[in-house]
Amino acid sequence: KLTVPGLVDLFLDSAAMPKGERSRADIRKWVLRFAKDFHDAPAAIFEARGSRGEMNRWRAQWKHSPKQHDMAGTHAVRVLNWAVEEGELSEHHCHKLRKLYSVDRAEIVWTRADYEALHAIAPDWVRRLLTVACETGLRPGDLIKLTTAHIQRTPEGRRLRVRTSKRGRMAHIPVTPGLAAVLDATPKDRLLILTNASGAALTEHRASEGLRQWRDKAGLSSDLRL
């Protein structure tokens, strides 16, 4: 019979795993913990209603850290959802697990004063990064992939046409004056719009870390992120 570790192995080898290195690492860490703690259990136990309680007892070991508690359940359920879709399980009863962690970042925004404080001291590549982030609202993983090929002419000016990595949807973003200044200052022989100080490609980590370092040097709130 298929065990939980066997099910996790199948999931890790499947096309359901995301392409992003950081996402893959996070998922792998949590589902391997799931496999280890249910090491001798048949995967079919999750077809029983009582398995919801088993899942809650398992993730309760991280109740001291609401974020980790919720992460454990999220990734374990990801495996179970995949198992049902692939026919490895007929159903499972761990949908919509109650979450402990809640955060509302809607009110945490870069003000004009924050923006100008960082611009006053940061190097050009960090200023460009912050400008494009503020003008487009794109996530770091999408920002670092922006190229001149994403720029399209429109009757009113220009726009960026980007397929976002999180949902795979096409986004059409008007080129504002601030964004236009960055685009127009990009060297003509460069494909990537955002690069590091040497003109090389950025990683998500380097982009986020670079902005964090200069945010701290500017004395701004640690809540402000890319």
Side-chain angles (χ1 to χ4, degrees):
K1 289 184 178 180
L2 182 63
T3 63
V4 173
L7 183 63
V8 167
D9 286 343
L10 291 174
F11 171 80
L12 290 172
D13 287 337
S14 74
M17 286 289 284
K19 293 181 179 179
E21 212 171 288
R22 185 173 177 181
S23 296
R24 290 174 69 89
D26 285 343
I27 292 171
R28 186 177 184 83
K29 176 180 73 175
W30 284 106
V31 301
L32 287 178
R33 287 176 176 176
F34 179 53
K36 181 180 179 181
D37 286 10
F38 286 89
H39 62 95
D40 57 356
I45 66 168
F46 290 100
E47 294 176 343
R49 289 187 179 277
S51 62
R52 189 179 184 91
E54 291 292 331
M55 178 69 79
N56 283 331
R57 282 187 284 277
W58 171 68
R59 64 191 187 125
Q61 62 187 294
W62 294 285
K63 63 184 178 182
H64 63 281
S65 172
K67 195 169 185 178
Q68 291 190 79
H69 170 276
D70 295 350
M71 195 73 70
T74 295
H75 291 310
V77 170
R78 183 192 294 262
V79 174
L80 299 181
N81 287 342
W82 172 84
V84 172
E85 289 177 5
E86 295 298 314
E88 300 293 347
L89 296 177
S90 60
E91 61 178 338
H92 76 80
H93 297 274
C94 298
H95 299 287
K96 297 181 179 179
L97 297 173
R98 186 174 70 87
K99 296 190 174 184
L100 300 181
Y101 180 75
S102 64
V103 60
D104 183 3
R105 296 187 58 82
E107 299 302 318
I108 303 174
V109 298
W110 285 81
T111 65
R112 173 57 60 179
D114 296 328
Y115 180 90
E116 291 176 351
L118 186 135
H119 265 242
I121 65 168
D124 182 61
W125 75 270
V126 175
R127 295 199 302 267
R128 289 170 58 89
L129 176 62
L130 179 59
T131 297
V132 178
C134 288
E135 297 295 328
T136 66
L138 290 172
R139 293 178 175 83
D142 294 319
L143 288 170
I144 63 173
K145 296 175 184 175
L146 282 177
T147 71
T148 52
H150 289 111
I151 305 170
Q152 293 186 332
R153 290 284 176 183
T154 70
E156 290 76 28
R158 289 176 289 179
R159 69 180 182 183
L160 295 179
R161 186 172 184 269
V162 183
R163 185 174 298 280
T164 59
S165 56
K166 185 167 184 178
R167 295 187 174 86
R169 296 176 182 171
M170 196 64 72
H172 297 93
I173 305 167
V175 172
T176 61
L179 181 55
V182 173
L183 299 180
D184 294 342
T186 302
K188 300 302 181 184
D189 60 348
R190 182 181 293 172
L191 180 63
L192 287 170
I193 292 171
L194 298 172
T195 67
N196 64 18
S198 303
L202 286 164
T203 62
E204 285 188 52
H205 175 74
R206 180 61 187 130
S208 297
E209 187 66 10
L211 187 70
R212 184 196 66 76
Q213 290 171 348
W214 288 96
R215 174 204 68 194
D216 291 349
K217 289 179 181 180
L220 301 177
S221 169
S222 60
D223 286 330
L224 294 171
R225 303 177 188 173
L226 188 54

